[in-house]
Amino acid sequence: MRRGARTTDEGNMHLFRKFISYYKPHRKLFFTDMACSFLVAVCDLFYPMIAKNIINTYVPNRELRMMLVWAAVLLCIYLFKAGLNYVIQYWGHIVGVRMQGDMRHDMFMHLQRLPFSFFDENKTGSIMSRIISDLQDVSELAHHGPEDLFISGIMLVGAFVMLSGINLYLSLIVFAILPFMVLFAWRMRSEMNTAFRKTREEVAEVNANVETAIAGIRVSRSYTAAPHENSKFDRANERFKLARGRAYRAMGMFSSGMALFNDFLYLSVLVAGGLFFYNGKIDTGEFAAFLLYITLFLKPVNRLVSLFEQLQEGMTGFRRFHEIMEVHDEEDTGTVEAESLNGTIDFEDVSFRYLNSDAADQDAKVISHLTMHIERGHTVALVGPSGGGKTTLCNLIPRFYEIDSGRITIDGTDIRELTRYALRKNIGIVQQDVFLFNGTIRENIAYGNLEASEQEIIDAAKKANIHDYVMTLDEGYDTNVGERGIKLSGGQKQRISIARVFLKNPSILILDEATSALDNATEMLIQQSLAELSRGRTCLVVAHRLSTIKNADEIIVLTKDGIAERGTHDELMANHAIYAGLYQYQFRE
């Protein structure tokens, strides 16, 4: 149990040090904020002493001039404090915003390097919640946390010193209550931390549901599934409300407990101060000053109460941020920076299973002991029943996933010896589900080569047979395609993705069901573009429409048991086996 507690404490200290490290680039601004906070606290400590002198000396002795002088001093202090508060409120928040920006930048950069398996297992909405909502609370903590803690410490120490100067014993009575307040807050810490963490998880789940529902709005409408989506959202929303309710219950217990301590403190001062005044231990001005200092004393206590809630929300958000930052990047063991590859691909006894598969279940392997050779410049088609590993095999070549055993080589070099950048730079992929970014047609084509000239973009569009269509649009290449290319047809999106690959000009081309979602007329146009794109490149084609791969140099039939057949179209038809059966089924008319 002690070891577990020690491990938790070490983890918290590591988390705290990581949080503190984000102050370093902004330390000058941070210390300016702290200096202003210190001066504000000092300014507040002057008022009760000045008030005591006015009550005890200047008013009874009718020293109007001195009273006006000290009133003017107070006014100057307040004006000075107003300037300091402006710096605290503006530049202090800027520190928090800049830290939030740094964290968001680090997370986004880190997300770009994470393996595909991470995105397989984590919902987009949940990731969005961490990078936006969680870091917003972290920003507030980054600004208010140290500032409130520092001001509260100065105020508490200053108030104790000033109170002790009035009457030490009365001050000790007041401060004797403070340890009980600290103990109560500490006891509530664990329950609040658990409650706020659960709230964060449920918020992320709600965000994930919203993101999925909006992305699939056309599907849910076409299947009249709005009630089902509403029900899913309501369940997630109810879980969030319950979690948030538990968090507020914990906060309610904490706040009401601290408020009780505050009221008890005030009562103690009134009773004890009244007795001291009754017995002549303090005079009227000292009693008034004491009450004013107690008010100042309660301000930092209340500030600490608010800070405690902010600390729970902020550190919970930072812990969720840190969890993603602790996920290991794609391991890049490669050191070979190949400018261009010829494109000879070999699979040598390759086996692979996804991470969520049962490691003890050998049948869970998607690819098992696969050996295959693809000659440079040849077009090889992969066909066969679903679940045979065709798409998975295509994902292994660019190292989107790591193989369990064996090796994959290009031009005789193990792809793990190549840097990921060099490997992927030489591979172009056209998939069935085309993803276009929310931007212009020009920007989406230029994704193939971000340094391409305008003429190169136009040439790529012409090769993909999309240029003529673009020129019919009012804004031409500046036309916005909408989110995920929603303003374009399937064929238009596909041709833009093909233009993108033309611009990249890779030596290896992977076509994964590139035309299966298109109608026959559009498919014929796309096939012309793909034929042009494939010329002179090593091309790996995954296709269910067998008519599109009749002219491939080699056709490989993949099943869950591995390679069942391989050869040209004519050779496989002559075998009267799996491929011939699939082909005859598709053209049974």
Side-chain angles (χ1 to χ4, degrees):
M1 186 70 180
R2 275 183 202 165
R3 186 179 301 168
R6 192 182 306 119
T7 302
T8 301
D9 291 339
E10 290 173 356
N12 289 336
M13 283 304 300
H14 173 68
L15 196 69
F16 179 71
R17 285 193 295 270
K18 188 67 178 176
F19 179 71
I20 294 298
S21 69
Y22 280 97
Y23 283 100
K24 189 174 181 180
H26 316 291
R27 55 186 178 276
K28 290 182 180 179
L29 204 55
F30 172 73
F31 286 122
T32 299
D33 180 45
M34 290 296 101
C36 291
S37 299
F38 172 76
L39 292 174
V40 166
V42 171
C43 288
D44 284 336
L45 292 173
F46 274 103
Y47 175 67
M49 293 305 297
I50 295 174
K52 185 191 81 168
N53 291 333
I54 290 175
I55 293 172
N56 275 352
T57 305
Y58 307 141
V59 172
N61 296 330
R62 298 182 179 278
E63 298 180 13
L64 180 61
R65 180 176 174 279
M66 289 302 297
M67 187 175 72
L68 293 175
V69 167
W70 281 106
V73 169
L74 271 179
L75 178 61
C76 292
I77 289 174
Y78 290 154
L79 292 173
F80 179 58
K81 195 174 81 167
L84 294 174
N85 279 325
Y86 172 79
V87 174
I88 292 170
Q89 286 300 313
Y90 177 59
W91 289 108
H93 276 103
I94 291 297
V95 172
V97 168
R98 290 180 180 177
M99 288 176 63
Q100 177 189 167
D102 291 345
M103 292 177 197
R104 187 169 289 126
H105 170 270
D106 289 350
M107 183 186 283
F108 187 81
M109 296 300 105
H110 186 59
L111 287 169
Q112 295 293 317
R113 300 189 298 268
L114 290 181
F116 276 56
S117 56
F118 172 83
F119 300 98
D120 292 342
E121 298 165 12
N122 290 273
K123 299 174 182 177
T124 303
S126 177
I127 297 173
M128 291 292 292
S129 178
R130 295 188 190 224
I131 201 171
I132 296 176
S133 302
D134 289 358
L135 291 186
Q136 182 65 40
D137 288 331
V138 174
S139 173
E140 287 298 303
L141 175 63
H143 166 222
H144 291 292
E147 177 188 294
D148 287 353
L149 192 62
F150 183 66
I151 291 178
S152 298
I154 296 296
M155 292 292 289
L156 288 173
V157 172
F160 180 74
V161 171
M162 294 297 188
L163 287 171
S164 299
I166 296 173
N167 190 290
L168 178 62
Y169 296 108
L170 185 56
S171 302
L172 291 175
I173 291 173
V174 172
F175 274 80
I177 302 172
L178 195 59
F180 295 99
M181 298 175 72
V182 173
L183 179 62
F184 173 75
W186 183 259
R187 291 287 296 272
M188 291 295 299
R189 179 180 64 93
S190 177
E191 183 178 348
M192 290 174 64
N193 187 43
T194 301
F196 276 101
R197 182 176 181 81
K198 185 63 177 175
T199 299
R200 288 287 176 199
E201 292 172 356
E202 295 302 339
V203 167
E205 191 66 25
V206 169
N207 287 344
N209 271 334
V210 171
E211 192 274 336
T212 303
I214 292 174
I217 191 71
R218 286 165 179 78
V219 176
S220 63
R221 291 279 180 87
S222 65
Y223 282 90
T224 61
H228 172 70
E229 290 299 323
N230 291 340
S231 177
K232 280 171 56 181
F233 177 81
D234 285 342
R235 287 195 297 271
N237 202 30
E238 284 299 321
R239 290 195 299 270
F240 162 72
K241 288 195 291 186
L242 288 173
R244 196 65 181 173
R246 285 191 288 269
Y248 281 130
R249 182 178 63 188
M251 272 309 305
M253 293 173 62
F254 174 74
S255 297
S256 60
M258 294 302 289
L260 178 62
F261 277 113
N262 282 357
D263 293 339
F264 185 72
L265 188 64
Y266 232 120
L267 178 62
S268 300
V269 170
L270 284 172
V271 174
L275 291 174
F276 273 66
F277 178 76
Y278 180 78
N279 291 305
K281 303 293 184 183
I282 56 175
D283 57 32
T284 305
E286 288 173 332
F287 190 27
F290 205 93
L291 289 174
L292 289 173
Y293 273 121
I294 287 301
T295 302
L296 286 180
F297 173 78
L298 288 177
K299 281 175 66 177
V301 170
N302 291 328
R303 193 187 289 259
L304 288 174
V305 171
S306 300
L307 173 62
F308 202 79
E309 178 180 359
Q310 200 168 65
L311 181 67
Q312 295 302 317
E313 291 208 2
M315 288 311 294
T316 299
F318 186 76
R319 186 174 288 108
R320 283 164 53 79
F321 158 80
H322 188 65
E323 284 173 357
I324 288 186
M325 297 302 294
E326 288 289 285
V327 178
H328 294 298
D329 295 352
E330 278 187 321
E331 185 180 2
D332 197 350
T333 55
T335 57
V336 179
E337 288 283 359
E339 185 62 30
S340 62
L341 300 172
N342 292 324
T344 300
I345 305 173
D346 283 285
F347 286 75
E348 301 175 6
D349 197 31
V350 172
S351 294
F352 170 78
R353 70 164 62 84
Y354 288 100
L355 289 178
N356 58 356
S357 298
D358 184 357
D361 182 7
Q362 296 301 312
D363 292 334
K365 288 184 178 179
V366 181
I367 295 175
S368 181
H369 303 288
L370 175 70
T371 297
M372 183 173 68
H373 173 76
I374 301 175
E375 191 62 43
R376 168 193 176 185
H378 281 202
T379 296
V380 175
L382 302 178
V383 301
S386 298
K390 300 183 294 298
T391 296
T392 298
L393 187 145
C394 294
N395 286 331
L396 295 180
I397 296 174
R399 283 186 73 188
F400 291 157
Y401 299 94
E402 295 293 342
I403 59 176
D404 299 332
S405 62
R407 71 177 195 147
I408 303 172
T409 67
I410 298 179
D411 302 338
T413 302
D414 193 319
I415 61 173
R416 288 169 292 196
E417 296 176 10
L418 295 166
T419 64
R420 291 184 189 273
Y421 178 81
L423 174 64
R424 292 171 183 173
K425 182 181 177 182
N426 283 278
I427 299 174
I429 302 176
V430 180
Q431 296 175 305
Q432 172 186 339
D433 185 16
V434 177
F435 185 92
L436 296 185
F437 294 92
N438 187 10
T440 65
I441 292 175
R442 176 186 292 101
E443 290 168 344
N444 274 282
I445 295 176
Y447 216 76
N449 179 3
L450 296 174
E451 298 178 358
S453 66
E454 181 74 9
Q455 189 56 50
E456 288 173 326
I457 292 172
I458 292 173
D459 290 342
K462 287 179 178 178
K463 291 177 181 177
N465 292 322
I466 190 67
H467 173 74
D468 291 341
Y469 167 74
V470 173
M471 298 312 295
T472 65
L473 301 173
D474 292 338
E475 298 181 61
Y477 283 90
D478 291 318
T479 301
N480 192 287
V481 301
E483 188 175 7
R484 297 174 180 262
I486 195 65
K487 296 179 181 179
L488 302 176
S489 69
Q492 291 160 356
K493 289 193 292 185
Q494 192 64 277
R495 276 178 278 185
I496 288 176
S497 74
I498 292 170
R500 196 155 57 189
V501 178
F502 266 118
L503 202 58
K504 185 176 184 181
N505 193 28
S507 55
I508 298 171
L509 182 63
I510 296 173
L511 306 177
D512 187 3
E513 304 277 6
T515 62
S516 63
L518 305 176
D519 60 81
N520 291 332
T522 304
E523 182 185 26
M524 289 177 62
L525 293 173
I526 298 296
Q527 282 297 338
Q528 295 173 12
S529 302
L530 292 177
E532 174 68 19
L533 181 61
S534 303
R535 189 172 295 120
R537 311 177 200 273
T538 301
C539 187
L540 196 61
V541 183
V542 175
H544 279 126
R545 292 186 182 177
L546 303 185
S547 59
T548 63
I549 47 96
K550 287 173 63 176
N551 296 323
D553 295 302
E554 185 176 29
I555 298 171
I556 296 176
V557 180
L558 274 181
T559 68
K560 63 180 182 180
D561 298 319
I563 297 177
E565 295 179 286
R566 63 189 307 169
T568 65
H569 171 76
D570 292 336
E571 289 170 347
L572 295 179
M573 289 299 292
N575 287 342
H576 300 291
I578 298 175
Y579 177 81
L582 291 172
Y583 191 85
Q584 289 166 358
Y585 179 78
Q586 285 193 13
F587 298 95
R588 57 189 178 275
E589 292 180 1

